[in-house]
Amino acid sequence: MVVPSVLVLDSGVGGLSITGEILTRCPALHIDYIADLAAFPYGTKPEMQIVERITQLIEHASGTLRPAVIVIACNTASTVALTAARKITAIPVVGVVPAIKPAAKLSKTGVIGILATEGTVNRTYTHNLIKEFARDSTVILHGSAKLVELAEEKLQHGSVNPRLVRQELLPLFTHNPHMDTVVLACTHFPLLKDEFIQNFPEIRFWVDSGSAIASRVESLLNAQGLDIANVNSALQLNTFFVTSPQARYTQASLERYLGRFREDFIFLV
Ligand code: DGL
């Protein structure tokens, strides 16, 4: 039987946090993962440039890889390019956007931090989510490009200095002693969750979108009549594509989220 495949894309390894959740839920799926390192990072780029890049990637990759579902596993890209992406393909496209709604429900103190890239912090999309779902909460936004780099480093070297992670998060906490919930609104950040918990044990809820996305992917596959329960997952070999060979990740770091995989290149002009 043909194994259904899902295309997951991000600027780097952040989308692996989403991939891990998808594979936990649907282990027999084939994943084609694209780390768009040639355009990394997305968080500091102008909106139009991201829209063009994402649509170009989807056009190129969906034609050759023929996924059943596409996941833009990046808040920075989804908050600006989702509508354009859906216009250029008939394949269902799932976007990852800040989990503000569940965070507002979980928080007991009503003080919520949103940790994201600078791009996501400034997006109209993010501010509309806050107006719609966290109107009664105190919301503190904090953008960090450095944390994205630290997450990349962690997967390149197998570890990262927790003190550097702490430094990047301090501005979020300095004037907000009652904050009990933080939204990880960049897919790179769940990769640093151990370091976050270690540095700020007082935070009760670190909220990300991973499991919600996995369940959405599963229901979109089911809606296409794809039976993922009867595929032998032991045979699965996923693909980790890069658009530039600029970073080398450790095999164990990639395997932790992607399972068995092979590496490949996608060249875009
Ligand atoms: N992983 C991406 C996100 O979820 C952003 C990383 C970047 O700046 O490229 O926002």
Side-chain angles (χ1 to χ4, degrees):
M1 114 171 238
V2 180
V3 179
S5 78
V6 170
L7 172 62
V8 182
L9 45 108
D10 181 35
S11 59
V13 284
L16 289 178
S17 65
I18 302 289
T19 305
E21 300 273 2
I22 295 172
L23 285 174
T24 300
R25 202 171 179 107
C26 315
L29 268 184
H30 172 81
I31 301 283
D32 285 312
Y33 186 93
I34 302 178
D36 187 14
L37 296 174
F40 174 88
Y42 287 171
T44 50
K45 295 215 161 43
E47 295 194 350
M48 272 320 295
Q49 207 171 316
I50 296 173
V51 175
E52 273 166 28
R53 186 71 187 177
I54 291 292
T55 48
Q56 193 192 9
L57 267 179
I58 289 179
E59 250 166 8
H60 179 92
S62 58
T64 48
L65 302 172
R66 308 207 163 276
V69 175
I70 298 168
V71 182
I72 304 176
C74 173
N75 293 258
T76 309
S78 300
T79 49
V80 72
L82 198 49
T83 310
R86 285 179 174 150
K87 275 193 192 137
I88 57 154
T89 178
I91 301 165
V93 182
V94 180
V96 177
V97 299
I100 292 168
K101 185 179 177 182
K105 282 194 185 148
L106 283 168
S107 175
K108 308 285 177 233
T109 60
V111 185
I112 301 167
I114 299 179
L115 194 58
T117 62
E118 288 152 56
T120 301
V121 160
N122 292 318
R123 296 267 190 275
T124 309
Y125 194 108
T126 306
H127 290 271
N128 286 343
L129 285 178
I130 296 171
K131 270 187 225 146
E132 192 173 350
F133 299 115
R135 190 179 283 279
D136 301 326
S137 310
T138 303
V139 176
I140 295 106
L141 288 148
H142 178 56
S144 170
K146 179 74 184 165
L147 272 181
V148 176
E149 276 172 32
L150 289 173
E152 288 280 319
E153 258 177 62
K154 182 173 176 182
L155 270 64
Q156 285 166 29
H157 307 300
S159 66
V160 71
N161 183 343
R163 287 216 309 278
L164 295 178
V165 174
R166 179 179 174 78
Q167 243 168 23
E168 276 306 297
L169 259 73
L170 275 178
L172 184 61
F173 295 102
T174 311
H175 302 295
N176 306 294
H178 301 300
M179 185 183 296
D180 69 344
T181 302
V182 176
V183 181
L184 302 178
C186 167
T187 54
H188 277 76
F189 298 165
L191 306 177
L192 297 171
K193 198 166 165 185
D194 291 345
E195 288 78 8
F196 293 158
I197 292 171
Q198 182 186 341
N199 278 303
F200 300 96
E202 66 275 25
I203 296 299
R204 283 185 72 180
F205 308 107
W206 298 92
V207 188
D208 65 65
S209 311
S211 67
I213 299 299
S215 122
R216 179 77 188 128
V217 167
E218 185 180 43
S219 70
L220 285 168
L221 292 169
N222 289 340
Q224 292 177 46
L226 295 167
D227 181 11
I228 38 178
N230 290 322
V231 181
N232 185 350
S233 61
L235 301 175
Q236 274 311 98
L237 186 63
N238 298 313
T239 313
F240 182 75
F241 291 98
V242 288
T243 55
S244 146
Q246 72 196 40
R248 299 295 311 162
Y249 304 102
T250 69
Q251 173 93 8
S253 311
L254 297 184
E255 237 163 33
R256 174 173 172 197
Y257 299 98
L258 194 55
R260 286 178 63 239
F261 70 96
R262 67 179 184 88
E263 294 183 64
D264 209 337
F265 289 99
I266 285 186
F267 290 108
L268 288 185
V269 267

